[in-house]
Amino acid sequence: MNPIGAIKQDFQTEEQAAAKPLIELTRDEKRVLKAYKEATPLDWEDWFWQIRKRIRTKDEIRKLVHLTPDEEKGIDGCGDKLTMSIPPYFASLIDPNDPKCPIRLQSIPQVHELKTAPEEMRDPCGEDSHSPVHGLVHRYPDRVLFLVNEMCAMYCRYCTRSRMVGDGRRTLSTETYNAAFDYIRSHKKVRDVLISGGDPLTMGDRMLEMIIKTLKEIPHVEFIRIGSRIPVTLPQRVTPELVAMLKKYSPLWMSIHFNHPKEITERVKSACGMLADAGIPLGSQTVLLKGVNDSPEIMKKLMHELLKIRVRPYYIYQCDPILGSKHFRTKVSTGLEIMEKLRGHTTGYAVPTYVIDGPGGGGKIPLSPDYIKSYENGKCTLRNYAGKEFVYYDPE
Ligand code: SF4
């Protein structure tokens, strides 16, 4: 199924758009909308319009942002690797005059991504080597990752799956979906399926429902999650129709990829509110990125803002060593320092797990500052968040 074709089936009517909670356009949204001749505020609310008008070329982005020479070279060179794609909504969050804007760093290619460091890999998580059928990754016995499409609204410049995401490179056929369903049906230990991509929410409601419904009908699949960045990059996609469809398949969980407090706008609050009101538990996954969120203050602010919109911080990922990612990757000590400043210093719900995906296919490995000073002969000496020592004795 062509993903664009799938979207067209669910194109919003004016009545559907009118049924959505209305949010007044911000000054920056109006500025970006002006660049599209004859476009109206109703177009801005329409997620299909946003997909169709994604910013793909240097000429288009130049109308909105004062590009640096490094960005110009990055855009010129990224075509063979991971194309640029920015929905007008997400582009409205970019500071046109600040090359260090965290939204800009995530979405506009830079020349640095064209250089490769020796430790970098095309498939750092070793997904291809754990893929029994196209579209499925089966690394842990009881769960699978189902990559249902290869298209996203916005291509994050540090994307772990940059080897496969991008419009029109490969579309998944009916046979591919059926082979994945058959594999899950015949592996009775699989109790958990994570639907990801690409971004599953770029699909139309009907196609997505077919996937969820088919999985729900497999008796041993007891837990389904959707991994998406769309509620952040294109919150207009979270329509009442989508939410009503997802609600039918409860329990259904959603992991949303958030990286910076600036991403939490009124539209994003509304989208997450609709999902949470429908009983869909929401978690966040954040990638630790140099210049974007590599400070304890920004991370703490992000975690606090997420709790306010009913999204539970779940993971902070060390940035994977994907090709051309050196400018985004921090030292591991930076992540540990962030965790040190979160644990004990704020609400426990605001403290995610910091993980490194073991390069080459090791899976998620949790990291934490060391709170055990010594542990010998049943005596465990610990330090708390404030550095004070306490002793716990094992039972005899
Ligand atoms: S949304 Fe996810 S899969 Fe898509 S480009 Fe961003 S990180 Fe990659």
Side-chain angles (χ1 to χ4, degrees), residues 38-151:
E38 294 171 20
T40 67
L42 194 58
D43 290 323
W44 192 262
E45 302 294 336
D46 176 357
W47 72 276
F48 181 64
W49 182 89
Q50 291 277 343
I51 289 265
R52 214 157 21 96
K53 297 295 181 187
R54 285 175 301 160
I55 295 158
R56 315 297 303 268
T57 66
K58 196 158 71 175
D59 286 344
E60 288 169 330
I61 192 74
R62 257 204 206 117
K63 288 183 195 154
L64 304 170
V65 175
H66 301 117
L67 294 176
T68 65
D70 275 358
E71 288 169 333
E72 300 232 358
K73 285 184 202 146
I75 296 168
D76 288 339
C78 73
D80 298 337
K81 202 174 151 265
L82 180 65
T83 54
M84 178 172 71
S85 165
I86 312 172
Y89 161 76
F90 204 62
S92 75
L93 306 185
I94 294 175
D95 184 329
N97 301 310
D98 179 8
K100 293 188 175 157
C101 163
I103 305 297
R104 182 165 171 164
L105 292 174
Q106 294 181 69
S107 55
I108 299 181
Q110 296 176 62
V111 69
H112 315 295
E113 67 182 69
L114 307 178
K115 297 172 207 148
T116 300
E119 69 278 12
E120 293 175 348
M121 297 174 227
R122 190 175 163 274
D123 177 18
C125 298
E127 292 181 336
D128 291 347
S129 58
H130 287 86
S131 179
V133 296
H134 182 60
L136 271 192
V137 179
H138 194 180
R139 190 195 315 279
Y140 309 100
D142 73 335
R143 50 205 187 273
V144 290
L145 170 64
F146 190 3
L147 305 174
V148 297
N149 69 348
E150 297 174 353
M151 177 181 167

Side-chain angles (χ1 to χ4, degrees), residues 307-323:
L307 288 188
K308 282 157 66 178
I309 60 168
R310 291 180 282 172
V311 179
R312 162 76 157 104
Y314 180 35
Y315 282 129
I316 293 178
Y317 285 99
Q318 182 72 9
C319 183
D320 292 320
I322 190 76
L323 302 178

Side-chain angles (χ1 to χ4, degrees), residues 82 152 154-156 158-161 165 197-199 229 257:
L82 180 65
C152 306
M154 194 274 281
Y155 294 118
C156 313
Y158 49 84
C159 176
T160 293
R161 301 204 181 106
V165 299
D199 197 315
R229 184 144 166 75
H257 177 165

